[in-house]
Amino acid sequence: MPELPEVETVRRGLAPALVGATIERVELRRPDLRFPFPERFAARLQGRRVLDLRRRAKYLLVDLDDGHSLIMHLGMSGSFRIDEETPGAFHHKRDKNAAHDHVVLHLDHGRRVVYNDPRRFGYMLLIATHAIDEDKLFRGLGVEPLDGALDAAFLARAFRRRAASSAG
Protein backbone atom coordinates (compact mmCIF):
# COMPACT_ATOMS: atom_id res chain seq x y z
CA MET A 1 0.00 0.00 0.00
CA PRO A 2 1.39 3.42 -0.85
CA GLU A 3 2.25 5.24 2.35
CA LEU A 4 1.87 8.96 3.05
CA PRO A 5 5.26 10.00 1.57
CA GLU A 6 4.47 8.12 -1.66
CA VAL A 7 1.02 9.70 -1.86
CA GLU A 8 2.59 13.14 -1.38
CA THR A 9 5.06 12.36 -4.18
CA VAL A 10 2.16 11.32 -6.42
CA ARG A 11 0.37 14.59 -5.58
CA ARG A 12 3.43 16.60 -6.54
CA GLY A 13 3.75 14.64 -9.78
CA LEU A 14 0.08 15.05 -10.74
CA ALA A 15 -0.24 18.73 -9.82
CA PRO A 16 1.45 20.20 -12.94
CA ALA A 17 -0.90 18.26 -15.22
CA LEU A 18 -4.10 18.72 -13.20
CA VAL A 19 -4.09 22.14 -11.52
CA GLY A 20 -5.65 24.70 -13.84
CA ALA A 21 -6.76 22.07 -16.36
CA THR A 22 -10.34 21.37 -17.36
CA ILE A 23 -11.55 17.79 -17.41
CA GLU A 24 -13.00 17.44 -20.90
CA ARG A 25 -14.03 13.81 -20.69
CA VAL A 26 -13.95 10.93 -18.19
CA GLU A 27 -13.71 7.29 -19.23
CA LEU A 28 -14.95 4.82 -16.63
CA ARG A 29 -13.88 1.43 -17.88
CA ARG A 30 -15.83 -0.40 -15.18
CA PRO A 31 -18.76 0.53 -12.87
CA ASP A 32 -16.75 0.37 -9.66
CA LEU A 33 -13.41 0.16 -7.97
CA ARG A 34 -13.50 -0.84 -4.31
CA PHE A 35 -16.91 0.85 -4.16
CA PRO A 36 -19.31 1.87 -6.95
CA PHE A 37 -18.61 5.28 -8.44
CA PRO A 38 -20.96 8.04 -7.25
CA GLU A 39 -24.09 8.59 -9.29
CA ARG A 40 -23.37 10.40 -12.59
CA PHE A 41 -19.67 10.46 -11.62
CA ALA A 42 -18.24 10.99 -15.12
CA ALA A 43 -20.87 13.58 -16.06
CA ARG A 44 -20.28 15.54 -12.84
CA LEU A 45 -16.53 15.74 -13.56
CA GLN A 46 -16.86 16.63 -17.23
CA GLY A 47 -16.26 20.33 -17.87
CA ARG A 48 -14.94 20.98 -14.35
CA ARG A 49 -11.77 23.02 -13.91
CA VAL A 50 -9.25 21.83 -11.31
CA LEU A 51 -8.53 24.60 -8.80
CA ASP A 52 -6.10 22.72 -6.56
CA LEU A 53 -4.71 19.29 -5.77
CA ARG A 54 -4.16 18.60 -2.07
CA ARG A 55 -3.35 15.65 0.11
CA ARG A 56 -4.88 14.78 3.47
CA ALA A 57 -3.41 11.68 5.07
CA LYS A 58 -3.36 9.12 2.25
CA TYR A 59 -6.14 10.81 0.27
CA LEU A 60 -5.69 12.98 -2.80
CA LEU A 61 -8.21 15.83 -2.96
CA VAL A 62 -8.88 17.50 -6.30
CA ASP A 63 -10.75 20.77 -5.66
CA LEU A 64 -13.09 21.58 -8.54
CA ASP A 65 -14.64 24.84 -9.71
CA ASP A 66 -18.19 23.74 -8.77
CA GLY A 67 -17.51 23.53 -5.02
CA HIS A 68 -16.90 19.80 -4.94
CA SER A 69 -13.72 17.81 -4.46
CA LEU A 70 -12.78 14.57 -6.12
CA ILE A 71 -11.46 12.32 -3.35
CA MET A 72 -9.07 9.62 -4.52
CA HIS A 73 -7.47 6.82 -2.52
CA LEU A 74 -4.86 4.52 -4.09
CA GLY A 75 -5.78 1.46 -2.04
CA MET A 76 -3.08 -1.23 -2.11
CA SER A 77 -2.03 -1.23 -5.75
CA GLY A 78 -3.39 1.94 -7.34
CA SER A 79 -1.24 4.36 -9.31
CA PHE A 80 -1.61 7.17 -11.81
CA ARG A 81 0.03 7.80 -15.15
CA ILE A 82 0.13 11.06 -17.02
CA ASP A 83 0.04 9.77 -20.55
CA GLU A 84 2.77 7.11 -20.16
CA GLU A 85 4.73 8.67 -17.28
CA THR A 86 4.18 7.47 -13.68
CA PRO A 87 4.37 10.34 -11.15
CA GLY A 88 5.91 9.35 -7.85
CA ALA A 89 8.48 6.85 -6.73
CA PHE A 90 7.15 3.56 -5.38
CA HIS A 91 8.99 0.88 -3.46
CA HIS A 92 7.21 -1.77 -5.54
CA LYS A 93 6.95 -1.44 -9.31
CA ARG A 94 3.57 -0.09 -10.46
CA ASP A 95 1.45 -1.95 -13.00
CA LYS A 96 1.15 -0.47 -16.48
CA ASN A 97 -1.05 -3.23 -17.88
CA ALA A 98 -3.83 -1.42 -19.75
CA ALA A 99 -6.31 -4.07 -18.59
CA HIS A 100 -6.09 -2.41 -15.16
CA ASP A 101 -6.59 1.16 -16.43
CA HIS A 102 -9.99 1.83 -14.86
CA VAL A 103 -10.38 5.63 -15.02
CA VAL A 104 -9.04 8.00 -17.66
CA LEU A 105 -9.30 11.79 -17.31
CA HIS A 106 -8.94 13.57 -20.65
CA LEU A 107 -7.73 17.12 -19.99
CA ASP A 108 -8.16 20.23 -22.11
CA HIS A 109 -4.42 20.59 -22.77
CA GLY A 110 -4.34 17.21 -24.48
CA ARG A 111 -2.89 15.09 -21.70
CA ARG A 112 -4.51 12.08 -20.07
CA VAL A 113 -4.38 11.08 -16.40
CA VAL A 114 -4.89 7.32 -16.09
CA TYR A 115 -5.77 5.52 -12.86
CA ASN A 116 -4.50 1.93 -12.85
CA ASP A 117 -5.39 -0.48 -10.04
CA PRO A 118 -4.89 -4.23 -10.51
CA ARG A 119 -6.49 -5.16 -7.18
CA ARG A 120 -9.21 -2.44 -7.27
CA PHE A 121 -8.87 -1.50 -3.59
CA GLY A 122 -8.67 2.19 -4.43
CA TYR A 123 -11.72 4.41 -4.75
CA MET A 124 -12.97 7.78 -5.94
CA LEU A 125 -15.73 9.89 -4.42
CA LEU A 126 -17.15 13.38 -4.84
CA ILE A 127 -17.69 15.44 -1.68
CA ALA A 128 -18.66 19.10 -1.24
CA THR A 129 -15.35 20.83 -0.52
CA HIS A 130 -16.74 22.74 2.48
CA ALA A 131 -17.92 19.47 4.08
CA ILE A 132 -14.71 17.43 3.79
CA ASP A 133 -13.58 17.93 7.40
CA GLU A 134 -16.96 16.66 8.68
CA ASP A 135 -17.05 13.64 6.36
CA LYS A 136 -16.66 10.23 8.06
CA LEU A 137 -13.43 9.61 6.12
CA PHE A 138 -11.74 12.75 7.44
CA ARG A 139 -13.22 13.80 10.77
CA GLY A 140 -11.14 11.40 12.88
CA LEU A 141 -7.81 12.08 11.22
CA GLY A 142 -5.04 13.49 13.36
CA VAL A 143 -2.68 16.35 12.72
CA GLU A 144 -1.14 16.54 9.26
CA PRO A 145 2.57 15.79 9.69
CA LEU A 146 3.82 17.79 6.71
CA ASP A 147 1.95 21.07 7.15
CA GLY A 148 3.89 22.46 10.13
CA ALA A 149 1.28 21.73 12.80
CA LEU A 150 3.31 18.78 14.07
CA ASP A 151 5.90 20.68 16.06
CA ALA A 152 7.46 20.52 19.53
CA ALA A 153 4.61 22.49 21.10
CA PHE A 154 2.02 20.10 19.64
CA LEU A 155 3.95 17.08 20.91
CA ALA A 156 4.36 18.63 24.36
CA ARG A 157 0.58 19.20 24.58
CA ALA A 158 -0.14 15.69 23.28
CA PHE A 159 2.11 14.02 25.85
CA ARG A 160 1.20 16.21 28.84
CA ARG A 161 -0.46 14.11 31.55
CA ARG A 162 0.81 10.88 29.94
CA ALA A 163 2.57 8.45 32.22
CA ALA A 164 5.29 6.16 30.97
CA SER A 165 7.18 3.57 32.89
CA SER A 166 10.91 3.94 32.94
CA ALA A 167 12.83 1.11 31.39
CA GLY A 168 15.51 0.27 33.62
Side-chain angles (χ1 to χ4, degrees):
M1 171 181 289
E3 297 298 338
L4 186 145
E6 292 172 312
V7 177
E8 176 62 19
T9 302
V10 170
R11 185 199 67 76
R12 291 177 186 188
L14 287 174
L18 281 175
V19 176
T22 297
I23 302 169
E24 287 190 336
R25 186 167 61 94
V26 178
E27 281 181 67
L28 298 181
R29 296 182 175 173
R30 57 176 303 108
D32 60 3
L33 293 169
R34 184 176 186 180
F35 310 113
F37 289 105
E39 189 174 328
R40 299 183 54 251
F41 182 72
R44 292 170 63 193
L45 290 175
Q46 186 173 317
R48 301 279 49 98
R49 191 166 63 82
V50 176
L51 302 178
D52 198 8
L53 174 58
R54 303 178 289 135
R55 182 198 48 74
R56 179 70 172 105
K58 294 184 189 180
Y59 295 94
L60 294 167
L61 295 83
V62 180
D63 296 334
L64 304 170
D65 64 353
D66 68 347
H68 286 84
S69 292
L70 169 60
I71 310 300
M72 302 183 294
H73 194 285
L74 297 173
M76 293 182 73
S77 60
S79 65
F80 286 95
R81 289 193 317 274
I82 302 168
D83 299 315
E84 294 305 315
E85 173 188 331
T86 302
F90 291 88
H91 180 71
H92 299 287
K93 188 175 185 230
R94 305 326 272 175
D95 193 326
K96 291 187 180 183
N97 182 342
H100 304 298
D101 291 349
H102 302 306
V103 180
V104 182
L105 304 177
H106 296 266
L107 306 175
D108 64 337
H109 50 57
R111 300 191 83 185
R112 297 175 330 136
V113 173
V114 180
Y115 178 70
N116 180 288
D117 192 352
R119 298 183 73 185
R120 291 193 329 264
F121 286 149
Y123 51 93
M124 296 184 185
L125 308 167
L126 284 166
I127 298 176
T129 304
H130 71 84
I132 288 173
D133 289 337
E134 291 82 43
D135 188 86
K136 66 183 176 187
L137 295 173
F138 296 93
R139 80 176 147 241
L141 295 177
V143 65
E144 187 60 40
L146 301 181
D147 73 0
L150 183 62
D151 59 11
F154 174 85
L155 291 173
R157 286 190 307 276
F159 287 105
R160 190 176 313 135
R161 297 189 190 106
R162 298 270 184 186
S165 62
S166 61

